[in-house]
Amino acid sequence: MLKVGDKAPSFEAKATDGRTLSTAVLHGKPFVVFFFPKAFTGGCTIETKRFRDSYPEIQARGTEVIGVSTDDHQTQCDFAESAQASFPMIGDKTKDICRKFGVLWPILGLSKRVTFVVDAEGVIRGVFAHEIRVEQHIADVLALLEKLPKPAATT
């Protein structure tokens, strides 16, 4: 699994909002990417809704949120709609993004519950892994974002 100080790996994928998200698109903007095992499960739904509820606060810090699981794209779209997630989500059925971040459970082939905070230069500034305490991810993210310098506004 990647750690603080590592460069975030490059990726490109279709998101639930119709955009193609990539490191090129995100370049110059900090982002939070949270990986979760499976759409429509209890813990994953709670975690996604907590990110949804905190999304305006995270956006106010100039930071994007992206949710990723190993579900297919349509399942992720259905889940995003069900959870009323206003941030983009990615169905990583090929597991390419999960592998690049090092978050796949061996044998199971599902993502671990891990959240990364990536700065505007693409460097990982926070890694939070709480499989059971799903509410802790958003608390850790908000605490870290408070400590990091707010990115300069872009025009």
Side-chain angles (χ1 to χ4, degrees), residues 64 139 141:
E64 182 59 88
V141 166

Side-chain angles (χ1 to χ4, degrees), residues 19-150:
R19 293 186 289 165
T20 297
L21 283 180
S22 67
T23 44
V25 168
L26 295 166
H27 182 73
K29 182 173 188 169
F31 63 95
V32 173
V33 59
F34 72 99
F35 291 89
F36 60 96
K38 192 153 182 60
F40 295 105
T41 58
C44 299
T45 299
I46 290 167
E47 182 179 21
T48 299
K49 287 182 176 181
R50 289 190 52 98
F51 272 102
R52 175 202 66 198
D53 294 346
S54 298
Y55 189 46
E57 185 177 351
I58 294 169
Q59 279 187 307
R61 300 272 319 155
T63 304
E64 182 59 88
V65 172
I66 304 161
V68 180
S69 74
T70 56
D71 294 292
D72 63 46
H73 178 71
Q74 187 57 53
T75 299
Q76 199 73 299
C77 288
D78 294 343
F79 180 58
E81 182 179 349
S82 171
Q84 299 176 331
S86 53
F87 53 83
M89 300 183 77
I90 296 171
D92 184 26
K93 186 174 181 170
T94 65
K95 303 174 183 156
D96 183 55
I97 299 170
C98 292
R99 278 190 195 93
K100 287 180 176 184
F101 277 82
V103 298
L104 277 180
W105 280 108
I107 301 171
L108 295 177
L110 295 175
S111 171
K112 296 176 183 178
R113 189 178 313 280
V114 182
T115 300
F116 296 88
V117 177
V118 181
D119 70 15
E121 286 76 43
V123 177
I124 296 170
R125 296 297 174 199
V127 179
F128 309 110
H130 305 289
E131 287 296 334
I132 305 299
R133 298 180 321 149
V134 297
E135 73 284 346
Q136 192 61 44
H137 285 256
I138 194 65
D140 289 343
V141 166
L142 293 173
L144 179 60
L145 290 178
E146 191 63 36
K147 294 176 189 174
L148 294 177
K150 192 171 182 178

